[in-house]
């Protein structure tokens, strides 16, 4: 009988097999992952049982053995009519819940006839301007039976009001509506940027929605606290966990300060996480999130176990999808979907293979949906609760994530909570640095992306994509807005909007505290008649006032504007990080060629080459723009970062005032065919056709020729190497750059 082998025996055997090669791996979170985990790594770790505190192994005892996760595909297509038809097809094919994507004009509180949204209407989601749009969106979909998730934060008040009134007109009272509204504004100030109002009034909106739904909509989740957009912006797993849980903690505290009972509203809070390609990290992340939330809620005084139970929706990563060799995206989505369900998600959206290029077609959406059906029906995953529970690696990784996230949450607490921490800019800067570091690893080939920086095809195969006629959609929306305005009681509508503005200007804290304590701000008891009058006014709940405006057919833009009268509109200019690329490429030959080229252009011009990074339209995703700004600055360019949400006219004015050589237009929301040609025409009209205009982001290859005909001189889609983009732009500026891998010709300059 031989002795039982030890970890030291294993190490000796492994060293012999790999000849001493290092087998550890460092993650973006700074974790050193060992090649072998044993019982020693889980000593003292007790994950508990599913359905019991701290819920590490799942919020429900039976999990998928009782009922599989909900297939909730996120979709919205141009008009309410087209989206409704798509939803009904998907529901007939096995989808169990609806998840609505809105266009960017809607997100930002603009009606489709507003001049700032010419290129945004119907792009990246459905346009909703009136209750009538919402009625059409859910036509023949019974709202008392169908759970509806709506990804909305900026214009959350009018969208919720429209949903409630559409239900009323369908004969469904608010108390029978079920689903979730995202209503997570803090992450907008960190990463996604589809905010409207400044942070403080935005937080009031969150609290008012929690209060209204707690009182009137017992089946509806008032907030979906979202780490997904942090994940997509480049956050590490630790950052996504810590900032998401800290956001949830802040919302709970604000609601309690407004007089809400924690155990009444907390069971209706839900979460939303992104799932990427680091398979085991993503599984551990969901398990860690449940433990963290349990501890936070217990710390806030929750007594109801359901208040401490984190329930989450997940979505596979959009940023992991690639334009090159796009059928690989089916495999990526499958891997990510498996991580989500092995981590214990309650519902899931799987991305379509073509979403790095355009909105999904019916063909690609069917594959995405069927990915989940195959996992549910064929894989056996649903037969066992938390099948990876007890894994040495998974339990160790979960515990490490919890410990590291707790450190970051403590840092947030020390800053005074997430609202104050966001105001410092620290979380946004940390995520942007992590994103830049990830991109350098991809560009250098240290992180392999199959079909992009390794195993690249000589020639990409064409792929059919969905194209939206933006001008046609916008005109149809404008026509409907006009009809609604003509048919409504204008006097009643304006009175309801004025009442909303009045509520927005009021200070709700004093009335809420008075109603709770029965005393005024000096502690003097208030007469019953005064308290009755305050209660009768419904006080100043913004959603209650907006519902009344929606009943009188106020538009989304009008409701948003009514609150803007009191709150103002929030604006921000990106502040890219610096030094990440320069450090990573310190000894890289190609980097040196590019920086030498920048120096040569500087000598010729008598100044640094000047590039403006422009974000036109209402898309707030700025990861790509920030990465470009950071990298080009490190390479020696003078970089001017334009503010978010510019019109082509504003971008052209800024380019002319700063006398730039190049404008790099970042497009992620399919507005490129409208906005970029308009910018080029304005530069020409101003007598500066020499300013080069390039385009980057999510642009279908079939649009490349159109853009080139309109004057775009460089197009850089997903997967483009940032250093090679810079080399190409130097060529546009008249500097003879050698192809990658070749030496610089001494006579080139």
């Amino acid at each position: 009988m031989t002795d039982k082998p030890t970890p030291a025996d294993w190490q000796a055997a492994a060293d012999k097999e790999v000849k001493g090669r290092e087998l550890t791996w460092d993650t973006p979170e700074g974790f050193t992952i060992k090649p072998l985990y044993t019982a020693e790594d889980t000593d003292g770790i007790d994950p508990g049982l599913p359905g019991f505190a701290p819920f590490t192994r799942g919020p429900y005892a039976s999990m998928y053995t009782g009922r599989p996760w909900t297939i909730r595909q996120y979709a919205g297509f141009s008009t309410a009519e087209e989206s409704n038809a798509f939803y009904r097809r998907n529901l007939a094919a096995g989808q169990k819940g609806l998840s609505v994507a809105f266009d960017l004009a809607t997100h930002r509180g603009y009606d489709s006839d507003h001049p700032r949204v010419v290129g945004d209407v119907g792009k990246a989601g459905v346009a909703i301007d009136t209750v009538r749009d919402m009625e059409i969106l859910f036509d023949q979909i019974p709202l008392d039976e169908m759970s509806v998730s709506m990804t909305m934060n900026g214009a959350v008040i009018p969208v919720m009001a429209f949903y409630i009134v559409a239900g009323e007109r369908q004969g469904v009272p608010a108390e029978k509506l079920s689903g979730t509204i995202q209503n997570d504004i803090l992450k907008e100030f960190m990463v996604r940027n589809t905010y409207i109002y400044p942070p403080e009034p935005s937080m009031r909106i969150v609290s008012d929605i929690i209060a209204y739904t707690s009182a009137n909509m017992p089946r509806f989740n008032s907030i979906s606290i979202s780490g997904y957009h942090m994940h997509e912006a480049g956050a590490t797993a630790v950052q996504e966990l810590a900032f998401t849980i800290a956001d949830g903690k802040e919302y709970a505290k604000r609601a309690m300060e407004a007089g809400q009972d924690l155990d009444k509203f907390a069971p209706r809070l839900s979460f939303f996480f992104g799932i990427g390609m680091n398979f085991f990290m993503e599984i551990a992340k969901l398990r860690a999130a449940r433990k963290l939330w349990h501890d936070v809620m217990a710390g806030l005084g929750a007594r109801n176990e359901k208040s401490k139970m984190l329930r989450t929706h997940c979505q596979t990563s959009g940023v992991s999808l690639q334009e090159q060799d796009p059928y690989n995206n089916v495999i990526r989505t499958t891997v990510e979907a498996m991580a989500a369900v092995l981590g214990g998600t309650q519902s899931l959206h799987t991305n379509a293979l073509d979403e790095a290029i355009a909105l999904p077609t019916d063909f690609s959406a069917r594959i995405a949906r069927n990915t989940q059906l195959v996992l549910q029906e064929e894989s056996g995953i649903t037969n066992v609760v938390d099948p990876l529970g007890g894994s040495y690696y998974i339990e160790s990784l979960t515990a490490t994530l919890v410990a590291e996230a707790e450190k970051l949450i403590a840092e947030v607490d020390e800053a005074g909570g997430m609202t104050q921490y966001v105001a410092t800019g620290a979380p946004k800067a940390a995520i942007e640095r992590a994103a830049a570091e990830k991109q350098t690893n991809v560009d250098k080939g240290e992180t392999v992306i199959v079909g992009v920086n390794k195993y690249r095809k000589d020639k990409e195969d064409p792929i059919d994509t969905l194209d939206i006629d933006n001008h046609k959609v916008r005109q149809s929306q404008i026509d409907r807005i006009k009809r609604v305005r003509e048919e409504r009681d204008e006097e009643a509508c304006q009175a309801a909007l004025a009442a909303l503005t009045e509520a927005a200007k009021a200070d709700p804290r004093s009335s809420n505290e008075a109603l709770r304590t029965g005393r005024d701000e000096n502690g003097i008891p208030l007469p019953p008649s005064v308290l009755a009058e305050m209660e009768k006014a419904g006080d100043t709940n913004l959603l209650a006032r907006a519902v009344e405006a929606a009943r009188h057919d106020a538009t989304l833009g009008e409701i948003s504007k009514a609150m803007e009268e009191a709150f103002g509109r929030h604006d921000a200019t990106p502040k890219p990080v610096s030094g990440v690329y320069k450090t990573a490429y310190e000894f890289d030959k190609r980097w040196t060629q590019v920086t030498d080229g920048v120096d040569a252009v500087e000598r010729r011009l008598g100044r640094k080459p000047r590039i403006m990074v422009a974000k036109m339209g209402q898309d707030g995703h700025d990861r790509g723009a920030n990465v470009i700004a950071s990298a080009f600055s490190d390479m020696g360019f003078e970089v001017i970062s334009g503010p978010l949400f510019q019109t082509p006219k504003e971008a052209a004015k800024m380019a002319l005032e700063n006398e730039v050589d190049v404008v790099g237009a970042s497009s992620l929301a399919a507005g490129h065919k409208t906005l970029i040609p308009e910018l080029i025409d304005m530069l020409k009209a101003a007598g500066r056709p020499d300013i080069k205009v390039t385009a980057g982001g999510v642009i279908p290859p079939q649009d490349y020729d159109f853009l080139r005909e309109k004057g775009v001189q460089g197009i850089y889609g997903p997967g483009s190497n940032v250093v090679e983009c810079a080399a190409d732009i130097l060529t546009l500026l008249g500097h003879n750059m050698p192809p990658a891998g070749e030496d610089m010709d001494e006579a080139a300059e």
Side-chain angles (χ1 to χ4, degrees), residues 223-254:
I223 188 167
S224 175
I225 303 145
S226 175
Y228 178 83
H229 300 97
M230 300 179 206
H231 179 278
E232 294 298 273
T236 66
V238 170
Q239 290 169 340
E240 183 184 358
L241 270 176
F243 295 152
T244 304
I245 298 298
D247 280 353
K249 182 177 182 179
E250 183 84 340
Y251 295 133
K253 290 174 67 176
R254 289 299 185 102

mmCIF file of all heavy atoms in Angstrom, residues 223-254:
data_model
loop_
_atom_site.group_PDB
_atom_site.id
_atom_site.type_symbol
_atom_site.label_atom_id
_atom_site.label_comp_id
_atom_site.label_asym_id
_atom_site.label_seq_id
_atom_site.Cartn_x
_atom_site.Cartn_y
_atom_site.Cartn_z
ATOM 1 N N ILE A 223 -36.265 48.468 -8.671
ATOM 2 C CA ILE A 223 -34.904 48.831 -9.081
ATOM 3 C C ILE A 223 -34.134 47.561 -9.435
ATOM 4 O O ILE A 223 -34.318 46.509 -8.821
ATOM 5 C CB ILE A 223 -34.190 49.615 -7.952
ATOM 6 C CG1 ILE A 223 -32.849 50.182 -8.435
ATOM 7 C CG2 ILE A 223 -34.003 48.771 -6.711
ATOM 8 C CD1 ILE A 223 -32.269 51.212 -7.480
ATOM 9 N N SER A 224 -33.332 47.639 -10.474
ATOM 10 C CA SER A 224 -32.414 46.560 -10.819
ATOM 11 C C SER A 224 -31.014 47.152 -10.779
ATOM 12 O O SER A 224 -30.618 47.901 -11.674
ATOM 13 C CB SER A 224 -32.715 45.999 -12.221
ATOM 14 O OG SER A 224 -31.749 45.036 -12.585
ATOM 15 N N ILE A 225 -30.305 46.840 -9.726
ATOM 16 C CA ILE A 225 -29.010 47.471 -9.472
ATOM 17 C C ILE A 225 -27.980 46.804 -10.383
ATOM 18 O O ILE A 225 -27.761 45.603 -10.315
ATOM 19 C CB ILE A 225 -28.649 47.345 -7.989
ATOM 20 C CG1 ILE A 225 -29.776 47.973 -7.145
ATOM 21 C CG2 ILE A 225 -27.325 48.021 -7.687
ATOM 22 C CD1 ILE A 225 -30.029 47.290 -5.837
ATOM 23 N N SER A 226 -27.388 47.595 -11.247
ATOM 24 C CA SER A 226 -26.709 47.041 -12.418
ATOM 25 C C SER A 226 -25.193 47.133 -12.349
ATOM 26 O O SER A 226 -24.630 48.229 -12.322
ATOM 27 C CB SER A 226 -27.198 47.766 -13.678
ATOM 28 O OG SER A 226 -26.473 47.324 -14.801
ATOM 29 N N GLY A 227 -24.554 45.969 -12.361
ATOM 30 C CA GLY A 227 -23.114 45.902 -12.560
ATOM 31 C C GLY A 227 -22.774 45.671 -14.018
ATOM 32 O O GLY A 227 -21.612 45.805 -14.423
ATOM 33 N N TYR A 228 -23.794 45.320 -14.819
ATOM 34 C CA TYR A 228 -23.550 44.951 -16.217
ATOM 35 C C TYR A 228 -22.777 46.039 -16.968
ATOM 36 O O TYR A 228 -21.805 45.752 -17.672
ATOM 37 C CB TYR A 228 -24.880 44.680 -16.938
ATOM 38 C CG TYR A 228 -24.689 44.334 -18.401
ATOM 39 C CD1 TYR A 228 -24.374 43.035 -18.781
ATOM 40 C CD2 TYR A 228 -24.779 45.305 -19.394
ATOM 41 C CE1 TYR A 228 -24.164 42.711 -20.122
ATOM 42 C CE2 TYR A 228 -24.571 44.993 -20.725
ATOM 43 C CZ TYR A 228 -24.270 43.694 -21.090
ATOM 44 O OH TYR A 228 -24.053 43.387 -22.406
ATOM 45 N N HIS A 229 -23.210 47.274 -16.826
ATOM 46 C CA HIS A 229 -22.586 48.341 -17.606
ATOM 47 C C HIS A 229 -21.183 48.659 -17.107
ATOM 48 O O HIS A 229 -20.334 49.116 -17.873
ATOM 49 C CB HIS A 229 -23.489 49.575 -17.603
ATOM 50 C CG HIS A 229 -24.838 49.288 -18.193
ATOM 51 N ND1 HIS A 229 -25.933 48.999 -17.415
ATOM 52 C CD2 HIS A 229 -25.247 49.189 -19.482
ATOM 53 C CE1 HIS A 229 -26.970 48.756 -18.193
ATOM 54 N NE2 HIS A 229 -26.577 48.859 -19.446
ATOM 55 N N MET A 230 -20.922 48.392 -15.831
ATOM 56 C CA MET A 230 -19.550 48.510 -15.338
ATOM 57 C C MET A 230 -18.679 47.433 -15.980
ATOM 58 O O MET A 230 -17.544 47.693 -16.410
ATOM 59 C CB MET A 230 -19.522 48.361 -13.816
ATOM 60 C CG MET A 230 -20.330 49.386 -13.065
ATOM 61 S SD MET A 230 -20.243 49.066 -11.287
ATOM 62 C CE MET A 230 -21.780 49.791 -10.736
ATOM 63 N N HIS A 231 -19.227 46.212 -16.030
ATOM 64 C CA HIS A 231 -18.520 45.098 -16.679
ATOM 65 C C HIS A 231 -18.184 45.459 -18.117
ATOM 66 O O HIS A 231 -17.046 45.276 -18.568
ATOM 67 C CB HIS A 231 -19.416 43.858 -16.626
ATOM 68 C CG HIS A 231 -18.831 42.645 -17.273
ATOM 69 N ND1 HIS A 231 -18.885 42.443 -18.640
ATOM 70 C CD2 HIS A 231 -18.185 41.572 -16.756
ATOM 71 C CE1 HIS A 231 -18.294 41.298 -18.918
ATOM 72 N NE2 HIS A 231 -17.858 40.757 -17.805
ATOM 73 N N GLU A 232 -19.161 45.995 -18.844
ATOM 74 C CA GLU A 232 -18.952 46.329 -20.250
ATOM 75 C C GLU A 232 -17.989 47.494 -20.430
ATOM 76 O O GLU A 232 -17.329 47.605 -21.461
ATOM 77 C CB GLU A 232 -20.295 46.649 -20.914
ATOM 78 C CG GLU A 232 -21.232 45.459 -21.000
ATOM 79 C CD GLU A 232 -20.667 44.331 -21.855
ATOM 80 O OE1 GLU A 232 -20.862 44.351 -23.080
ATOM 81 O OE2 GLU A 232 -20.003 43.435 -21.306
ATOM 82 N N ALA A 233 -17.911 48.356 -19.433
ATOM 83 C CA ALA A 233 -16.988 49.494 -19.509
ATOM 84 C C ALA A 233 -15.558 49.108 -19.169
ATOM 85 O O ALA A 233 -14.649 49.927 -19.295
ATOM 86 C CB ALA A 233 -17.454 50.615 -18.577
ATOM 87 N N GLY A 234 -15.351 47.855 -18.736
ATOM 88 C CA GLY A 234 -13.994 47.380 -18.481
ATOM 89 C C GLY A 234 -13.668 47.107 -17.037
ATOM 90 O O GLY A 234 -12.512 46.831 -16.701
ATOM 91 N N ALA A 235 -14.667 47.178 -16.133
ATOM 92 C CA ALA A 235 -14.411 46.946 -14.707
ATOM 93 C C ALA A 235 -13.916 45.530 -14.460
ATOM 94 O O ALA A 235 -14.300 44.586 -15.161
ATOM 95 C CB ALA A 235 -15.681 47.193 -13.899
ATOM 96 N N THR A 236 -13.068 45.369 -13.466
ATOM 97 C CA THR A 236 -12.692 44.036 -13.013
ATOM 98 C C THR A 236 -13.869 43.433 -12.252
ATOM 99 O O THR A 236 -14.823 44.135 -11.884
ATOM 100 C CB THR A 236 -11.478 44.092 -12.078
ATOM 101 O OG1 THR A 236 -11.863 44.775 -10.866
ATOM 102 C CG2 THR A 236 -10.304 44.813 -12.726
ATOM 103 N N ALA A 237 -13.800 42.143 -11.964
ATOM 104 C CA ALA A 237 -14.868 41.485 -11.207
ATOM 105 C C ALA A 237 -15.011 42.102 -9.818
ATOM 106 O O ALA A 237 -16.125 42.261 -9.301
ATOM 107 C CB ALA A 237 -14.606 39.987 -11.109
ATOM 108 N N VAL A 238 -13.897 42.457 -9.194
ATOM 109 C CA VAL A 238 -13.943 43.081 -7.867
ATOM 110 C C VAL A 238 -14.627 44.440 -7.942
ATOM 111 O O VAL A 238 -15.479 44.778 -7.106
ATOM 112 C CB VAL A 238 -12.525 43.216 -7.268
ATOM 113 C CG1 VAL A 238 -12.547 44.079 -6.007
ATOM 114 C CG2 VAL A 238 -11.949 41.843 -6.958
ATOM 115 N N GLN A 239 -14.268 45.242 -8.936
ATOM 116 C CA GLN A 239 -14.895 46.561 -9.088
ATOM 117 C C GLN A 239 -16.388 46.425 -9.355
ATOM 118 O O GLN A 239 -17.211 47.134 -8.758
ATOM 119 C CB GLN A 239 -14.222 47.332 -10.235
ATOM 120 C CG GLN A 239 -12.811 47.782 -9.922
ATOM 121 C CD GLN A 239 -12.083 48.305 -11.150
ATOM 122 O OE1 GLN A 239 -12.454 48.008 -12.294
ATOM 123 N NE2 GLN A 239 -11.030 49.083 -10.926
ATOM 124 N N GLU A 240 -16.758 45.517 -10.260
ATOM 125 C CA GLU A 240 -18.169 45.327 -10.565
ATOM 126 C C GLU A 240 -18.948 44.915 -9.321
ATOM 127 O O GLU A 240 -20.035 45.445 -9.035
ATOM 128 C CB GLU A 240 -18.331 44.275 -11.667
ATOM 129 C CG GLU A 240 -19.777 44.063 -12.099
ATOM 130 C CD GLU A 240 -19.961 42.952 -13.119
ATOM 131 O OE1 GLU A 240 -18.943 42.339 -13.539
ATOM 132 O OE2 GLU A 240 -21.113 42.683 -13.477
ATOM 133 N N LEU A 241 -18.400 43.977 -8.569
ATOM 134 C CA LEU A 241 -19.053 43.526 -7.346
ATOM 135 C C LEU A 241 -19.182 44.654 -6.327
ATOM 136 O O LEU A 241 -20.276 44.941 -5.816
ATOM 137 C CB LEU A 241 -18.235 42.398 -6.710
ATOM 138 C CG LEU A 241 -18.535 40.961 -7.100
ATOM 139 C CD1 LEU A 241 -17.535 40.036 -6.424
ATOM 140 C CD2 LEU A 241 -19.953 40.572 -6.704
ATOM 141 N N ALA A 242 -18.076 45.280 -6.002
ATOM 142 C CA ALA A 242 -18.064 46.271 -4.922
ATOM 143 C C ALA A 242 -18.932 47.471 -5.246
ATOM 144 O O ALA A 242 -19.735 47.918 -4.411
ATOM 145 C CB ALA A 242 -16.625 46.714 -4.649
ATOM 146 N N PHE A 243 -18.789 48.010 -6.457
ATOM 147 C CA PHE A 243 -19.548 49.209 -6.803
ATOM 148 C C PHE A 243 -21.039 48.908 -6.944
ATOM 149 O O PHE A 243 -21.884 49.748 -6.613
ATOM 150 C CB PHE A 243 -19.000 49.834 -8.088
ATOM 151 C CG PHE A 243 -17.590 50.367 -7.962
ATOM 152 C CD1 PHE A 243 -16.751 50.426 -9.067
ATOM 153 C CD2 PHE A 243 -17.087 50.786 -6.738
ATOM 154 C CE1 PHE A 243 -15.457 50.909 -8.965
ATOM 155 C CE2 PHE A 243 -15.792 51.273 -6.613
ATOM 156 C CZ PHE A 243 -14.975 51.333 -7.728
ATOM 157 N N THR A 244 -21.386 47.721 -7.441
ATOM 158 C CA THR A 244 -22.801 47.362 -7.578
ATOM 159 C C THR A 244 -23.452 47.184 -6.210
ATOM 160 O O THR A 244 -24.549 47.702 -5.958
ATOM 161 C CB THR A 244 -22.946 46.077 -8.404
ATOM 162 O OG1 THR A 244 -22.300 46.240 -9.672
ATOM 163 C CG2 THR A 244 -24.412 45.742 -8.644
ATOM 164 N N ILE A 245 -22.796 46.449 -5.333
ATOM 165 C CA ILE A 245 -23.340 46.247 -3.990
ATOM 166 C C ILE A 245 -23.402 47.577 -3.241
ATOM 167 O O ILE A 245 -24.373 47.871 -2.527
ATOM 168 C CB ILE A 245 -22.505 45.217 -3.210
ATOM 169 C CG1 ILE A 245 -22.553 43.832 -3.907
ATOM 170 C CG2 ILE A 245 -22.983 45.114 -1.767
ATOM 171 C CD1 ILE A 245 -23.932 43.223 -4.002
ATOM 172 N N ALA A 246 -22.382 48.421 -3.408
ATOM 173 C CA ALA A 246 -22.381 49.739 -2.755
ATOM 174 C C ALA A 246 -23.496 50.623 -3.303
ATOM 175 O O ALA A 246 -24.111 51.399 -2.548
ATOM 176 C CB ALA A 246 -21.026 50.419 -2.941
ATOM 177 N N ASP A 247 -23.779 50.520 -4.606
ATOM 178 C CA ASP A 247 -24.927 51.238 -5.177
ATOM 179 C C ASP A 247 -26.215 50.795 -4.493
ATOM 180 O O ASP A 247 -27.050 51.617 -4.091
ATOM 181 C CB ASP A 247 -25.038 50.961 -6.684
ATOM 182 C CG ASP A 247 -24.082 51.797 -7.517
ATOM 183 O OD1 ASP A 247 -23.422 52.694 -6.957
ATOM 184 O OD2 ASP A 247 -24.009 51.549 -8.734
ATOM 185 N N GLY A 248 -26.401 49.475 -4.375
ATOM 186 C CA GLY A 248 -27.601 48.951 -3.735
ATOM 187 C C GLY A 248 -27.739 49.425 -2.300
ATOM 188 O O GLY A 248 -28.838 49.776 -1.846
ATOM 189 N N LYS A 249 -26.633 49.451 -1.598
ATOM 190 C CA LYS A 249 -26.633 49.926 -0.212
ATOM 191 C C LYS A 249 -27.063 51.391 -0.146
ATOM 192 O O LYS A 249 -27.858 51.793 0.725
ATOM 193 C CB LYS A 249 -25.232 49.751 0.383
ATOM 194 C CG LYS A 249 -25.106 50.157 1.834
ATOM 195 C CD LYS A 249 -23.689 49.880 2.346
ATOM 196 C CE LYS A 249 -23.532 50.241 3.815
ATOM 197 N NZ LYS A 249 -22.150 49.941 4.301
ATOM 198 N N GLU A 250 -26.568 52.186 -1.080
ATOM 199 C CA GLU A 250 -26.920 53.603 -1.103
ATOM 200 C C GLU A 250 -28.407 53.804 -1.379
ATOM 201 O O GLU A 250 -29.071 54.628 -0.734
ATOM 202 C CB GLU A 250 -26.088 54.322 -2.177
ATOM 203 C CG GLU A 250 -26.323 55.814 -2.245
ATOM 204 C CD GLU A 250 -25.493 56.608 -1.236
ATOM 205 O OE1 GLU A 250 -25.019 56.026 -0.248
ATOM 206 O OE2 GLU A 250 -25.345 57.819 -1.433
ATOM 207 N N TYR A 251 -28.957 53.044 -2.334
ATOM 208 C CA TYR A 251 -30.382 53.172 -2.638
ATOM 209 C C TYR A 251 -31.232 52.787 -1.427
ATOM 210 O O TYR A 251 -32.231 53.438 -1.115
ATOM 211 C CB TYR A 251 -30.757 52.300 -3.832
ATOM 212 C CG TYR A 251 -30.118 52.717 -5.135
ATOM 213 C CD1 TYR A 251 -29.514 51.790 -5.971
ATOM 214 C CD2 TYR A 251 -30.112 54.048 -5.541
ATOM 215 C CE1 TYR A 251 -28.924 52.166 -7.171
ATOM 216 C CE2 TYR A 251 -29.520 54.445 -6.731
ATOM 217 C CZ TYR A 251 -28.924 53.493 -7.539
ATOM 218 O OH TYR A 251 -28.343 53.873 -8.724
ATOM 219 N N ALA A 252 -30.841 51.719 -0.762
ATOM 220 C CA ALA A 252 -31.590 51.269 0.409
ATOM 221 C C ALA A 252 -31.555 52.341 1.510
ATOM 222 O O ALA A 252 -32.580 52.656 2.136
ATOM 223 C CB ALA A 252 -31.026 49.951 0.923
ATOM 224 N N LYS A 253 -30.383 52.918 1.740
ATOM 225 C CA LYS A 253 -30.258 53.941 2.786
ATOM 226 C C LYS A 253 -31.085 55.180 2.437
ATOM 227 O O LYS A 253 -31.744 55.770 3.314
ATOM 228 C CB LYS A 253 -28.785 54.318 2.976
ATOM 229 C CG LYS A 253 -27.949 53.220 3.625
ATOM 230 C CD LYS A 253 -26.474 53.567 3.662
ATOM 231 C CE LYS A 253 -26.181 54.736 4.568
ATOM 232 N NZ LYS A 253 -24.719 54.998 4.648
ATOM 233 N N ARG A 254 -31.067 55.580 1.160
ATOM 234 C CA ARG A 254 -31.840 56.757 0.754
ATOM 235 C C ARG A 254 -33.339 56.514 0.940
ATOM 236 O O ARG A 254 -34.075 57.399 1.366
ATOM 237 C CB ARG A 254 -31.532 57.112 -0.694
ATOM 238 C CG ARG A 254 -30.156 57.698 -0.930
ATOM 239 C CD ARG A 254 -29.959 59.006 -0.170
ATOM 240 N NE ARG A 254 -28.691 59.630 -0.478
ATOM 241 C CZ ARG A 254 -28.548 60.666 -1.304
ATOM 242 N NH1 ARG A 254 -29.609 61.217 -1.879
ATOM 243 N NH2 ARG A 254 -27.353 61.182 -1.533
#
